[in-house]
């Protein structure tokens, strides 16, 4: 029984830490009550995958990734956070598509 619990713990931990695909991923963490402030240009980012996560659907998202304001865009490179952009007090994203894309481009260039 003890071995079963330990195995389950490690399987859960590894699945939990691999929420997003490997490589470059830009993730918008938002909430259903703030849908009107969704970052419309997110899918237009290049050289990365994009994902949207509703933190109200599962509270583990806000805890695991320390989301304190929505929307928040986090750029992951191989499941490691490399850059974060947070909304202002009005819950709107101040970062522009160009700023986020420039960060992605810098990360890609550093890999060479």
């Amino acid at each position: 029984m003890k071995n079963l619990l330990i195995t389950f713990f490690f399987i859960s931990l590894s699945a939990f830490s691999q929420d997003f695909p490997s490589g470059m991923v830009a993730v918008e963490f938002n909430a259903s009550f703030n849908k009107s402030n969704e970052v419309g240009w997110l899918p237009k980012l290049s050289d990365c995958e994009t994902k949207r996560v509703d933190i109200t659907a599962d509270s583990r998202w806000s805890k695991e990734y320390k989301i304190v304001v929505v929307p928040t865009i986090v750029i992951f490179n191989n499941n490691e956070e490399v850059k974060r952009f947070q909304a202002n007090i009005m819950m709107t994203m101040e970062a522009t598509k160009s700023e986020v894309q420039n960060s992605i481009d810098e990360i890609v260039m550093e890999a060479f």
Side-chain angles (χ1 to χ4, degrees):
M1 180 70 166
K2 183 179 176 183
N3 288 340
L4 181 62
L5 288 174
I6 290 171
T7 302
F8 177 73
F9 173 76
F10 283 113
I11 290 171
S12 297
L13 185 61
S14 65
F16 190 68
S17 64
Q18 302 248 340
D19 287 320
F20 307 111
S22 60
M24 187 80 61
V25 185
V27 180
E28 177 191 358
F29 293 91
N30 206 345
S32 56
F33 62 82
N34 194 43
K35 182 97 169 133
S36 63
N37 289 323
E38 182 177 88
V39 179
W41 45 258
L42 183 78
K44 296 177 183 173
L45 294 172
S46 60
D47 297 320
C48 69
E49 290 192 45
T50 59
K51 302 286 181 191
R52 293 187 196 275
V53 174
D54 180 358
I55 65 168
T56 57
D58 186 345
S59 63
R60 81 174 175 99
W61 295 107
S62 57
K63 292 175 187 170
E64 171 72 9
Y65 296 105
K66 297 174 179 61
I67 305 301
V68 295
V69 64
V70 291
T72 295
I73 296 175
V74 179
I75 300 173
F76 294 94
N77 192 14
N78 295 320
N79 289 301
E80 182 179 327
E81 180 177 334
V82 291
K83 188 73 175 175
R84 180 178 289 238
F85 300 89
Q86 294 181 311
N88 60 24
I89 196 166
M90 300 300 292
M91 296 193 307
T92 59
M93 181 58 62
E94 288 188 338
T96 65
K97 178 183 176 277
S98 294
E99 290 172 324
V100 176
Q101 187 64 61
N102 286 340
S103 292
I104 292 167
D105 294 344
E106 287 175 16
I107 295 163
V108 168
M109 292 306 292
E110 288 173 3
F112 288 106

